[in-house]
Amino acid sequence: MKKIIENALLNSYTYVEYRELVSQLISEGKSTGHTQSEDLLKYSELNETRLKRLDKTIVVNEESLFRLENLDKKYTWLVLSEGWCGDAAQLLPIINKMAESSKNIDLKIVLRDDNEELMNLFLTNGGKAIPKLIVLDAETHDVIADWGPRPEPARKLIADYKAANGVVDEPVKIELQKWYLNDKGNTTQNEIISLLKKEKALV
């Protein structure tokens, strides 16, 4: 596992580099990932608008800020993502703002399709769901915890709808985006902070 993680880190992007990559590909009529389609390009363009808005509006809440400012050692937050992923567009700006709040967190982003071995170590119910946040000890690259692909209320919203209707279609995707909009990133922050506390990564 450690070798796979270290290889991924060698091919990782900063948040700014990731945003620039996605924007550049969109300008070329492409999405990230090994599959290209009009739908994936459309999702990428929609996500680009979301990312720009969220980069400006997401705020780290006081509890999270206090905890993150008082981390006692250095961590690397490694995130598996793709530009076409709607959940990633909603969650990456939050994760980035949290990382920026602490001098002890270094955020790195890798593309799922380019890092299949890593993705296969962090499947969700057997699926390659993203985004996936992997919290690493910055010095040893030991895995401390992982989180994702959605905060629990969002996961439940999709799971309940799929159980009732057999599909994840446009109406529930709209409901999911409304949930993210109303939540303002607070549930994601609280879940990540709780996870770090549970794994003794926070005092």
Side-chain angles (χ1 to χ4, degrees):
M1 177 187 281
K2 195 167 287 190
K3 185 67 176 172
I4 292 171
I5 287 169
E6 287 172 355
N7 285 339
L9 288 170
L10 287 173
N11 297 300
S12 64
Y13 302 92
T14 65
Y15 184 71
V16 170
E17 289 168 344
Y18 171 82
R19 295 278 283 104
E20 288 174 348
L21 172 68
V22 174
S23 297
Q24 177 61 33
L25 286 170
I26 289 171
S27 74
E28 297 170 7
K30 301 175 187 174
S31 66
T32 64
H34 295 173
T35 303
Q36 298 293 321
S37 72
E38 285 186 22
D39 281 347
L40 290 178
L41 177 58
K42 182 180 72 178
Y43 296 145
S44 298
E45 291 169 339
L46 185 61
N47 289 338
E48 183 81 349
T49 303
R50 285 192 187 119
L51 285 161
K52 285 177 181 175
R53 174 175 55 81
L54 291 168
D55 281 340
K56 293 176 183 174
T57 58
I58 283 292
V59 176
V60 180
N61 62 49
E62 288 186 18
E63 167 72 6
S64 298
L65 199 56
F66 173 77
R67 297 288 184 179
L68 294 166
E69 285 174 342
N70 287 284
L71 285 171
D72 59 350
K73 64 187 292 189
K74 292 190 179 295
Y75 296 93
T76 300
W77 284 11
L78 179 60
V79 181
L80 285 148
S81 182
E82 292 285 354
W84 45 259
C85 175
D87 290 291
Q90 293 286 356
L91 297 169
L92 269 179
I94 304 166
I95 292 169
N96 178 56
K97 285 287 177 74
M98 293 178 76
E100 287 181 338
S101 300
S102 174
K103 64 183 184 299
N104 285 326
I105 299 173
D106 184 22
L107 176 61
K108 298 292 185 182
I109 301 167
V110 293
L111 299 178
R112 184 193 73 173
D113 288 3
D114 290 344
N115 293 271
E116 191 170 7
E117 284 187 301
L118 180 66
M119 185 72 257
N120 285 336
L121 294 173
F122 295 93
L123 301 176
T124 302
N125 300 322
K128 298 178 180 181
I130 52 174
K132 178 68 77 166
L133 165 64
I134 306 160
V135 179
L136 305 170
D137 181 303
E139 190 173 334
T140 65
H141 294 159
D142 289 335
V143 176
I144 306 299
D146 65 86
W147 178 91
R150 295 185 179 110
E152 177 56 24
R155 183 205 67 77
K156 189 173 186 306
L157 188 157
I158 294 294
D160 288 352
Y161 187 92
K162 188 173 182 180
N165 299 280
V167 293
V168 176
D169 55 13
E170 204 59 33
V172 75
K173 288 179 182 177
I174 292 169
E175 286 305 307
L176 179 63
Q177 298 309 323
K178 286 180 184 174
W179 182 88
Y180 277 125
L181 188 65
N182 292 329
D183 184 69
K184 296 179 170 40
N186 284 304
T187 300
T188 296
Q189 293 177 51
N190 295 340
E191 286 190 12
I192 293 173
I193 292 297
S194 294
L195 181 65
L196 295 176
K197 283 160 70 175
K198 178 185 169 189
E199 300 300 333
K200 306 293 192 292
L202 282 176
V203 292

